[in-house]
Amino acid sequence: DFAGGVECVNELEDSGRVKRSLVRRPVAIAVTVAVALVISACVPLAFLGQGERGADSPSSLPAEPGDSVASFAAQEPDWQSCLDGMQCADVYAPLDWTDPAGERITLHLVKQPATGGDPIGTLFVNPGGPGASGADYVAENIDSAVQSDVARAYDVIGWDPRGVGQSAPVSCLDAAAMDEYLFGLDDTGEVGSDEWIAAARAESKEFGAACAESSGALLEHVDTGSTVQDLDMLRGIVGDAKLNYLGYSYGTYIGARYADAYPEKVGRLVLDGAMDPSASLSEVVREQTRGFELALRAYVTDCIERNNCPFTGDVDQSMAAIGTLLDRIEVTPLQGSDGRMLTSSTMLTAIITPLYSQSNWGYLDQLFETAAEGDADVALSLADFYYDRSNGEYLSNSTEAFAAINCLDYPNADDVEQMRAEAAELAEIAPTIGRFQGFGDLSCSGWPYPGVDERVAVSAEGADPILVVGTTGDPATPYRWAVSLAKQLDNASLLTYKGEGHTAYGENDCVNAAVDGYLLDGVVPKNGTTCT
């Protein structure tokens, strides 16, 4: 049951970086990301938009490189002052790394020069995604991206991976069409039925065709393997013999793939909120569904012990009330004040969004009370934050880039009977949200280009020590993935944070000290070190 009372929340902090859902229909949650947003006062959730990005990032291109791979790493960026003392630049990269003499794209970078004035090297930072802007992340959130001692010692660079932000962005739909794609009503029959699956395939094909029409040849070359080659080019451009790197969430996948491809060029790599490179899409969906169910249960456990909690009864009764609310919205969507309809899929997105950080759980109080009263606006505002949408416009291409990169990064699969079996398993392991999470493979079933990557274990044999950080209560990148990645890597140390939320660096003093000691002095925490 729902009880009255809403607790004012002062901050919405995306310390777990940004979040993107795999498809509009009630399927996969998918791996996520990062752009920090801090609100200093208790304001209506309708004002959660971050504002226009990238407009104050002037840069110019260097001389165009020659036709060899080496010539791209020899570029000299024309750094321009921008963004409150930071520096911005664009550089060239081959569209297709197998054809460096062919078409070129550009990559956008933002650098915070070492505040101590004498850098020991460059630290590249990626906030995750796929689809998050690393340039915006460093430009807008340098104080949370790295600790102050690290900022004093390193030039810190965030870049937009290919297909993202200001780096040859993928484009698919205008704002109105994206609203229909993400928020439109689904009246094609029961989820999992032949009719519903046919409609999902058709929608996936239509979306992919729109991306291909708007993005052209780029759409075939935004896979993580190409981004790894871009990153090695950037390492060469800044003149570092080895890569120093801080990756969050999906950014850990970039880092792990880099280490596996270039073990001799591994410097100090921190992989926080680790993905398991060997996990299939169905395994990712299963573990994330389990993780968000457990995170929701942790929120409810905390909520019922507080004043003004919107639930009455024990934890099981409260979880059942959430399930009943989702079922009710599934049958009868709610209309928001802007005319959009709140479906069960969008409601689930709204629930997931605050679960990335325990500091945001108070927003769930507001969400559940208002939705139970038939008010859709809080839920739609949380979904807007998730999709980087404000006042009817999308502030970035992160949702489109997310789809484009994922559809290349996983082998395409479309086995209906297997998907139905997996959907039944999800409903069993996550009784509250699992029944809304099946059929994730349909999201790429109509994509114009086949997946180019196999999900296999990495080893990075011969690399310098790599630091893997895992949080025991992380819903988006479950702790077992950090354990798995640390075991796969030939030379890795696992640092465990016993806590809630997605990623740990910047959230815990013990973790901060361990990571800073590694980045600054090369001191590797003993494998199995635990912070609380």
Side-chain angles (χ1 to χ4, degrees), residues 43-61:
V43 298
L45 288 172
F47 297 100
L48 290 183
Q50 295 97 321
E52 185 178 1
R53 298 193 183 121
D56 298 320
S57 303
S59 61
S60 61
L61 283 162

Side-chain angles (χ1 to χ4, degrees), residues 112-123 150-156 240:
Q112 157 99 28
T115 59
D118 186 18
I120 62 175
T122 297
L123 178 67
V150 174
R152 279 193 289 271
Y154 284 95
D155 289 339
V156 179
D240 285 357

Side-chain angles (χ1 to χ4, degrees), residues 304-523:
I304 62 177
E305 297 298 322
R306 294 188 277 104
N307 294 327
N308 300 320
C309 178
F311 299 100
T312 60
D314 60 21
V315 172
D316 289 336
Q317 290 170 327
S318 299
M319 292 291 285
I322 295 172
T324 299
L325 178 61
L326 281 165
D327 288 338
R328 189 164 76 233
I329 294 173
E330 169 84 358
V331 174
T332 308
L334 305 177
Q335 187 170 27
S337 59
D338 63 359
R340 287 183 295 162
M341 302 301 294
L342 176 66
T343 63
S344 59
S345 176
T346 302
M347 181 64 181
L348 188 59
T349 300
I351 292 171
I352 286 167
T353 299
L355 289 175
Y356 281 80
S357 175
Q358 188 171 357
S359 63
N360 295 333
W361 283 1
Y363 276 104
L364 290 168
D365 294 3
Q366 301 177 45
L367 169 66
F368 288 125
E369 181 175 12
T370 55
E373 294 172 348
D375 183 346
D377 284 353
V378 169
L380 289 169
S381 294
L382 284 167
D384 282 349
F385 176 72
Y386 188 99
Y387 291 119
D388 214 11
R389 179 186 184 277
S390 178
N391 298 319
E393 297 296 327
Y394 290 84
L395 306 180
S396 71
N397 76 324
S398 54
T399 298
E400 294 153 308
F402 180 95
I405 296 168
N406 266 325
C407 286
L408 292 181
D409 271 4
Y410 290 93
N412 301 122
D414 191 358
D415 184 326
V416 172
E417 293 310 312
Q418 180 178 342
M419 282 190 282
R420 285 174 173 155
E422 290 170 352
E425 180 186 17
L426 293 174
E428 182 177 351
I429 65 175
T432 310
I433 67 171
R435 61 190 178 280
F436 301 99
Q437 292 303 101
F439 302 93
D441 286 330
L442 292 175
S443 59
C444 297
S445 63
W447 201 250
Y449 300 104
V452 295
D453 284 339
E454 295 291 331
R455 309 300 284 207
V456 296
V458 296
S459 64
E461 186 174 353
D464 285 349
I466 297 169
L467 180 57
V468 178
V469 185
T471 300
T472 55
D474 190 330
T477 51
Y479 176 68
R480 66 181 66 189
W481 290 353
V483 174
S484 178
L485 177 58
K487 288 181 178 178
Q488 290 173 39
L489 292 168
D490 180 58
N491 189 5
S493 180
L494 176 63
L495 174 63
T496 298
Y497 171 49
K498 286 190 174 180
E500 298 290 334
H502 182 40
T503 74
Y505 183 54
E507 299 296 310
N508 176 268
D509 289 343
C510 170
V511 172
N512 294 349
V515 172
D516 288 355
Y518 170 69
L519 289 175
L520 297 172
D521 302 315
V523 177

Side-chain angles (χ1 to χ4, degrees), residues 7 9 18 76 111 131 172 189 230 240 304 315 359 404 473 500 504:
E7 181 178 355
V9 180
V18 176
E76 296 183 4
K111 176 171 69 174
C172 301
D230 292 343
D240 285 357
I304 62 177
V315 172
S359 63
E500 298 290 334

Side-chain angles (χ1 to χ4, degrees), residues 48-107:
L48 290 183
Q50 295 97 321
E52 185 178 1
R53 298 193 183 121
D56 298 320
S57 303
S59 61
S60 61
L61 283 162
E64 189 163 351
D67 294 343
S68 68
V69 169
S71 67
F72 283 88
Q75 295 177 81
E76 296 183 4
D78 183 13
W79 292 104
Q80 301 287 314
S81 296
C82 63
L83 304 168
D84 298 326
M86 295 192 182
Q87 298 176 352
C88 298
D90 289 316
V91 296
Y92 291 100
L95 174 67
D96 181 352
W97 273 100
T98 67
D99 182 21
E103 186 176 346
R104 280 91 192 275
I105 61 174
T106 61
L107 304 179

